[in-house]
Amino acid sequence: AGPAAVVRLEKPIEFQQIAAVHHGPRCPAGPGWLPGNDACFRVTGPRMTVTELRSARIAQSPPGTYVLVFRLAGTDIRRFAALTAALATQPSPRNQLAIILSGTVFSHPTVRAPVTTGQAVLNGGYTRPGGPEGLLHHLGYPRPGSGG
């Protein structure tokens, strides 16, 4: 069997460099600020939008949390490598990568080294596998065994 077919997402995943973080009850006024789960983030620089994935799966990550592991497809692998290489050399918070879903910063990992494999992990602090499965559903990624 050949490689798995690329899956087109109903909602894109966006990646962008973080310029500033604000911890407070409301996001500051002005362009570039996005809400997140634990703060507001001002993003800067080019935005990378991903509309297709080679694969996505739910994995358990000790201790007892679940993550979404996804693999990028095609030219997105090189684009993601270039973006993460640029961020890895920056001071904090500019070395953080905003992972943006539907206009909200879902996660903001620190990039310590370029990600050249095209595989990344979204960790939302899930304690049950239904959390990342809900994220897959939100993106429009077919559920395992759904035939879509």
Side-chain angles (χ1 to χ4, degrees):
V6 171
V7 175
R8 187 150 188 79
L9 302 174
E10 290 177 13
K11 296 181 182 177
I13 303 171
E14 297 176 300
F15 301 95
Q16 195 166 10
Q17 181 182 28
I18 291 178
V21 179
H22 174 75
H23 296 278
R26 288 187 294 272
C27 288
W33 286 97
L34 296 174
N37 292 331
D38 58 352
C40 291
F41 303 90
R42 187 165 58 82
V43 292
T44 187
R47 180 176 289 198
M48 179 181 167
T49 301
V50 172
T51 58
E52 297 177 334
L53 294 177
R54 172 68 60 199
S55 65
R57 64 182 172 83
I58 298 165
Q60 190 167 15
S61 177
T65 60
Y66 293 84
V67 297
L68 175 63
V69 180
F70 66 89
R71 184 172 296 282
L72 298 170
T75 60
D76 286 341
I77 296 169
R78 288 189 300 279
R79 292 173 53 222
F80 195 71
L83 177 60
T84 56
L87 269 59
T89 62
Q90 298 293 310
S92 182
R94 290 182 174 269
N95 63 346
Q96 293 179 39
L97 180 65
I99 301 171
I100 305 163
L101 306 173
S102 300
T104 299
V105 177
F106 175 79
S107 183
H108 52 99
T110 298
V111 178
R112 299 192 198 310
V115 178
T116 59
T117 62
Q119 181 169 301
V121 176
L122 290 181
N123 182 350
Y126 300 116
T127 56
R128 299 181 332 189
E133 185 176 303
L135 176 59
L136 283 175
H137 180 69
H138 173 81
L139 295 171
Y141 193 89
R143 291 183 182 197
S146 69

